[in-house]
Amino acid sequence: MKITLDWLKEHLDTSASVDDVVATLNRIGHEVEGVENPAEKLAGFRVAKVLTAERHPQADKLQVLTVDTGDGGAPLTVVCGAPNARAGLIGVLGLPGAVVPANGMELKVAAVRGVESNGMMCSTRELELGDDHDGIIELPADAPIGTPFADYSGAGDPVIDISITPNRQDCMGVRGIARDLAAAGLGTLKPLDIPTIAGEGAPATEIRTDDPEGCPAFYGRTISGVTNGTAPEWMRRRLEAVGQRSISALVDISNYVMFDLGRPSHIYDRAQLTGALAARRAKDGETVTALNGKDYSLTDTMTVIADDHGVHDIAGIMGGEHSGCSETTTDVLIEVAYFTPERIALTGQALALTSDARSRFERGVDPAFLDDATAIVTAHVLAICGGTPSAVTRAGVPPAEVKTVDYDPALSATLGGIAIAPERQKEILAALGFSVIDAANGGGGRWQVAVPSWRRDVDAAPDIVEEVTRIIGFDAVASVPLPRTDGVAKPTATAEQLLERRVRRAAAAAGFDEAVTWSFISESDAAPFGGGTWSLANPISEDLKVMRPSLLPGLLAAAQRNQNRGANSIRLFEIGRRYLSDAEHPTLAILMAGDKSARGWQAGKAAPFEAFDAKAAALALLKAAGAPADRLQVMEAVTPGSIWHPGQSATLRLGPKAVLAEFGALHPLLTRAFDVDGPVMAVQIFLDAVPAKRASGPARAAFTPPALQSVRRDFAFLAPTSLTAADLVRAIRSADKASIVDARLFDRFTGQGVPEGQVSLAVEVELQPLEKSFTDAELKAIADKVVAAAAKAGATLRG
């Protein structure tokens, strides 16, 4: 929402500067996003008079002008190609050093075809004051020579850009902002002039509402004999300052009242209407060409404004192209209606159509302002375009019931944190338009507060507290420490939060960079991961529509962006939620792409990541999470779709069904779809599947260093290629749990001496004596158990 300081003072009697206005707006809850002074971009441009205009000696289409700049010095020579440049013309001269707003070019003294030019005579397009570029600006004969053009044109009016929160529709007009500033003590709100226009006879076009649910009230009147020319300069200047292009007097009047009072309206060309004009439900399949030139297909859930011929207006959102006013318009119909906010919002969402009118109607305009708004729009039309008005037709009844709230003024201290005197609260509420009934007699000091019709957002006592405290200023809330008991505070983090902290630190310590990606992805990105179960009905965009079934799409997109910016080694991790059909699942995902190690004189070429790097990362992080990493089984991947590379991926399980993680190389088709180069390794650890710690104390006794030295023995086995090394090691470790404390694979060999279809696996077994050293017989017995356990798993001792 943009306003200008001059426009604001049309409603607010104040001498405050723009800085005072900005500071007060921020203090009372209206965030100012920026302040722009249009005069700054017109610095260096001034009103000047052309004294002579002679043909350029080296160019037929150029003229050499002598220009009086009004500073009392010698006239300047300026080369100009405008066809309307002539002696006696008063225009706008850009002096050397000025920057042309339209293209950012800095003007300099330069020779043009051998003639020195000291600046430029400007067109409206070059100064961003319009689209005309056929000639230079021509000012009236009485324009003061030498005056800065910013001062002459009134462009020195600062523009304030305010972010209005969705609940404050009343501040979607300049008057609403002025009312809040007046309540904050920055001036006095001027009374609103409501003209009385009786009109002559009934409207020439029948007006009615056939959809009381979507359009409870439809007011209107006709005006005959209007002349639709150009809006007055003051109105055009204000509209253009807030970003609205001036179109014609009738269109500008409707837009001006909307920005001035927050009240949209619509003016129809009666010559384009057939029969009665009614608010009704659309019919399935009906179409309308809106003012933006686009065609929209409607449904029976939408409210439209239509005549006997068809739809002219998407109610409360945008008018139709065919019934808009033009320079030939002589008879008009003014529409001022109240549309149900929910209906407007749903229609706008369904059509993906936004407008200034929609942003006001879907928040809820003032239902008690229809008569006044009709009178104000009519007065502007009569003053600018002339004509003869009819009486007003009032179809339907607006929902303008008075709402009252039971309020205790002591709540400002107990709920708002600021003790405000009751009389001061009454002053604030009265300035904001509330009516206060003091119910001290029999009411225990409580008030009945009547809510103004334009404050749809106020429903209960906390809303009243917010109003009085924000006007005082939330910075007046005292800083009070929270009470706490003596001693060390008890931990508040949940077990899930503690788990996430541990694995986050472990991942960062392992050299991975944390990423935070969107929880929403596109349908195409979700498809390889089994598709998304949950989709948003009103997404920000189609690329953020589906709640992610995996964290990997976001990490792949991040990897792609990093590769595009020259990253050679990408190590990313993210902790977040996967959204599946049953619930949200906390997950840790890791992605590795590019070079594991850079090229160098020792290793030569750069080494890429491989599936074993993903496995090592998964095991390390599972161990950090508290999972029994040494007892996990490696089994096939289970994620639906084709995201994993066959033969280069697996899962880590605690038993056949409890899947704790999946890891490996991503399928080349998947990485190609995300435009990520090279082999990509990934890990997904399902944190909600990690076994929780026992609540009854530690799961095992405290570690005690062994008194005796451990013994290591090496075994080499021939095993079928189908037997995984992890299964063999697990079998060996369980051969004698009392004596074997560790077992690990240290060699894998195929080739000469190893039969076809088999592999040689060498395992180091660590034995720990407890009370006394092992005897040879005991060591042989343990070795026999190891060989037997390996044989049971399918391996034989290699001779």
Side-chain angles (χ1 to χ4, degrees), residues 310-643:
V311 176
H312 284 287
D313 186 356
I314 305 171
I317 300 179
M318 189 171 288
E321 185 178 61
H322 304 299
S323 59
C325 297
S326 66
E327 65 276 2
T328 62
T329 299
T330 57
D331 301 311
V332 298
L333 184 150
I334 298 174
E335 167 221 307
V336 178
Y338 180 86
F339 300 108
T340 304
E342 293 78 9
R343 177 70 58 80
I344 300 302
L346 291 173
T347 300
Q349 292 170 7
L351 298 178
L353 180 59
T354 60
S355 68
D356 291 311
R358 173 190 165 184
S359 67
R360 288 160 175 81
F361 276 122
E362 70 181 356
R363 299 180 186 208
V365 299
D366 183 358
F369 195 63
L370 274 71
D371 269 318
D372 292 346
T374 303
I376 291 170
V377 174
T378 302
H380 282 305
V381 173
L382 297 179
I384 298 170
C385 304
T388 303
S390 72
V392 176
T393 292
R394 299 171 180 84
V397 179
E401 299 83 5
V402 177
K403 186 193 308 180
T404 59
V405 174
D406 181 63
Y407 176 66
D408 182 355
L411 286 173
S412 71
T414 59
L415 185 60
I418 308 175
I420 307 172
E423 290 306 315
R424 177 61 181 137
Q425 293 190 51
K426 284 185 179 181
E427 292 174 4
I428 293 172
L429 293 173
L432 292 173
F434 294 81
S435 300
V436 179
I437 303 171
D438 193 340
N441 295 328
R446 304 183 73 87
W447 300 343
Q448 293 298 310
V449 180
V451 180
S453 56
W454 57 81
R455 292 302 302 271
R456 183 171 177 260
D457 59 305
V458 176
D459 291 312
D463 299 321
I464 305 295
V465 173
E466 180 183 0
E467 291 303 300
V468 295
T469 52
R470 74 179 179 86
I471 295 300
I472 293 296
F474 291 120
D475 53 349
V477 177
S479 298
V480 179
L482 294 174
R484 58 166 293 172
T485 57
D486 295 334
V488 179
K490 294 182 179 180
T492 58
T494 64
E496 181 179 322
Q497 291 170 331
L498 293 173
L499 173 61
E500 290 186 4
R501 288 180 189 175
R502 289 200 304 272
V503 294
R504 176 177 284 109
R505 289 170 180 167
F512 294 96
D513 298 312
E514 185 171 12
V516 179
T517 66
W518 290 102
S519 295
F520 312 106
I521 59 177
S522 66
E523 291 180 323
S524 59
D525 287 351
F529 298 86
T533 303
W534 308 101
S535 297
L536 301 185
N538 183 31
I540 298 174
S541 71
E542 286 299 310
D543 289 336
L544 298 172
K545 183 176 182 179
V546 178
M547 300 187 77
R548 62 188 180 192
S550 169
L551 275 63
L552 294 179
L555 292 180
L556 283 166
Q560 186 262 341
R561 288 191 296 272
N562 279 274
Q563 283 188 343
N564 288 349
R565 287 158 178 79
N568 295 322
S569 181
I570 298 169
R571 305 165 187 251
L572 300 175
F573 82 94
E574 181 175 11
I575 298 175
R577 301 291 186 271
R578 295 177 299 129
Y579 301 92
L580 306 182
S581 58
D582 57 341
E584 300 179 16
H585 294 272
T587 305
L588 165 64
I590 284 179
L591 186 137
M592 296 173 280
D595 299 337
K596 178 174 67 173
S597 58
R599 64 180 182 175
W601 64 271
Q602 290 177 311
K605 293 182 179 180
F609 290 103
E610 56 185 24
F612 289 108
D613 297 313
K615 179 183 179 183
L619 288 171
L621 292 174
L622 282 170
K623 185 175 181 180
D630 57 340
R631 294 194 287 115
L632 297 180
Q633 297 175 269
V634 179
M635 301 179 71
E636 69 279 359
V638 294
T639 295
S642 55
I643 72 167

Side-chain angles (χ1 to χ4, degrees), residues 118 484 488 673 710-711 725:
N118 297 274
R484 58 166 293 172
V488 179
S710 63
V711 178

Side-chain angles (χ1 to χ4, degrees), residues 41-312:
K41 66 180 182 181
L42 295 177
F45 296 88
R46 66 173 61 182
V47 178
K49 182 177 182 178
V50 179
L51 300 178
T52 64
E54 303 292 339
R55 178 184 171 188
H56 193 291
Q58 302 296 330
D60 294 338
K61 294 185 179 181
L62 297 178
Q63 296 187 77
V64 179
L65 313 180
T66 56
V67 182
D68 180 9
T69 62
D71 59 1
L76 297 180
T77 301
V78 176
V79 177
C80 180
N84 63 331
R86 63 189 183 277
L89 179 145
I90 298 178
V92 181
L93 172 67
L95 295 171
V99 177
V100 180
N103 55 25
M105 178 181 68
E106 181 180 350
L107 299 178
K108 300 178 180 179
V109 177
V112 179
R113 295 287 185 94
V115 177
E116 185 179 85
S117 181
N118 297 274
M120 181 177 73
M121 297 297 291
C122 302
S123 68
T124 56
R125 183 191 296 179
E126 288 161 340
L127 298 185
E128 294 185 336
L129 300 176
D131 296 326
D132 183 19
H133 194 58
D134 295 333
I136 58 177
I137 296 172
E138 295 191 41
L139 300 178
D142 60 352
I145 309 302
T147 303
F149 182 64
D151 295 342
Y152 174 79
S153 62
D157 190 13
V159 179
I160 306 170
D161 190 0
I162 309 169
S163 176
I164 304 299
T165 53
N167 63 314
R168 294 302 305 275
Q169 187 282 328
D170 61 302
C171 288
M172 293 294 285
V174 177
R175 186 166 181 82
I177 298 293
R179 182 187 297 112
D180 268 22
L181 289 172
L186 205 65
T188 303
L189 185 68
K190 297 179 181 180
L192 185 61
D193 182 22
I194 308 296
T196 301
I197 303 172
E200 302 176 6
T205 299
E206 179 189 353
I207 299 169
R208 68 175 190 269
T209 176
D210 298 336
D211 181 18
E213 182 182 345
C215 179
F218 188 0
Y219 288 14
R221 76 185 335 152
T222 57
I223 303 178
S224 303
V226 302
T227 302
N228 187 23
T230 303
E233 190 272 336
W234 62 267
M235 182 178 286
R236 297 198 313 271
R237 185 174 70 246
R238 286 179 176 175
L239 288 174
E240 289 168 355
V242 299
Q244 292 294 305
R245 182 171 61 91
S246 176
I247 298 174
S248 68
L250 292 170
V251 175
D252 289 357
I253 288 168
S254 180
N255 286 336
Y256 181 80
V257 173
M258 176 172 63
F259 285 95
D260 188 45
L261 303 174
R263 214 319 158 180
S265 60
H266 193 70
I267 302 177
Y268 295 89
D269 185 343
R270 276 187 47 231
Q272 306 300 323
L273 302 179
T274 303
L277 191 68
R280 64 167 173 83
R281 289 287 187 96
K283 301 172 184 176
D284 277 334
E286 275 189 311
T287 60
V288 61
T289 303
L291 285 172
N292 60 6
K294 296 182 180 180
D295 294 330
Y296 293 93
S297 180
L298 309 174
T299 69
D300 60 4
T301 63
M302 303 173 181
T303 301
V304 297
I305 307 298
D307 64 4
D308 294 347
H309 183 267
V311 176
H312 284 287

